[in-house]
Amino acid sequence: MINWPKQPEKDGGTRPLTSTHSVLGYEDTLVSVQDIEWKLDSQKQTNREVKAQLEAFTQSVHDSIDQHGMRWPIILKEGQDKKYTCYIGNDRMAYAVENNYTHISAIVVDNATDKLKIVQRTRQHDALEGFSDTVS
């Protein structure tokens, strides 16, 4: 299922950006984008050349989501200023916010080991499927 960015909210309710895949062994859930701290790497960058490369990557993520949907849930950890902090998936968070999604598929982890396992599983799965565009 592809989450087209211009789909209307239903009856004033939620508008979730859902992932097309789940990670075996990890539960994903819909989390309100309002509860997530996030920031694009390009916003933190002062070097113009690096900033331009990061902005191009962000655009490729957005293009991939438009074409294929969001393949994998983002990865969150417990936050400080908000309920959660985005561990992996800041570009997908930007897409959700820019396209007025209210919720996003996420996996909440409490350690870096689980984060690494999830990233490895998603990359292995994409490689098996022959999907080289692993940005969404």
Side-chain angles (χ1 to χ4, degrees):
M1 179 177 111
I2 296 178
N3 298 289
W4 300 106
K6 302 303 179 203
Q7 69 188 18
E9 255 184 51
K10 292 185 178 184
D11 303 322
T14 63
R15 183 167 182 257
L17 177 60
T18 56
S19 59
T20 60
H21 293 71
S22 295
V23 181
L24 185 63
Y26 292 91
E27 182 179 346
D28 58 279
T29 186
L30 286 176
V31 176
S32 170
V33 297
Q34 298 296 318
D35 290 339
I36 303 170
E37 267 178 74
W38 64 280
K39 189 169 188 179
L40 288 173
D41 290 336
S42 61
Q43 293 172 331
K44 303 175 211 171
Q45 186 55 246
T46 55
N47 179 302
R48 288 182 193 184
E49 185 176 322
V50 173
K51 185 179 182 89
Q53 291 171 350
L54 291 169
E55 288 171 349
F57 177 77
T58 296
Q59 187 57 53
S60 72
V61 170
H62 292 206
D63 293 345
S64 179
I65 294 172
D66 285 339
Q67 185 176 4
H68 305 287
M70 185 176 77
R71 290 180 55 82
W72 300 105
I74 63 171
I75 304 173
L76 305 175
K77 62 183 179 179
E78 187 177 322
Q80 293 178 358
D81 294 331
K82 292 191 177 186
K83 189 172 183 178
Y84 303 106
T85 298
C86 189
Y87 218 169
I88 300 285
N90 286 289
D91 294 294
R92 289 172 280 173
M93 273 298 302
Y95 182 91
V97 170
E98 290 171 15
N99 289 285
N100 299 312
Y101 286 95
T102 60
H103 292 74
I104 190 167
S105 291
I107 298 172
V108 180
V109 298
D110 57 10
N111 61 68
T113 302
D114 280 335
K115 176 190 85 161
L116 180 60
K117 286 180 184 177
I118 293 167
V119 169
Q120 288 172 336
R121 288 180 185 177
T122 60
R123 288 183 178 161
Q124 288 170 348
H125 187 276
D126 284 346
L128 289 172
E129 279 192 352
F131 192 81
S132 63
D133 186 2
T134 61
V135 296
S136 65

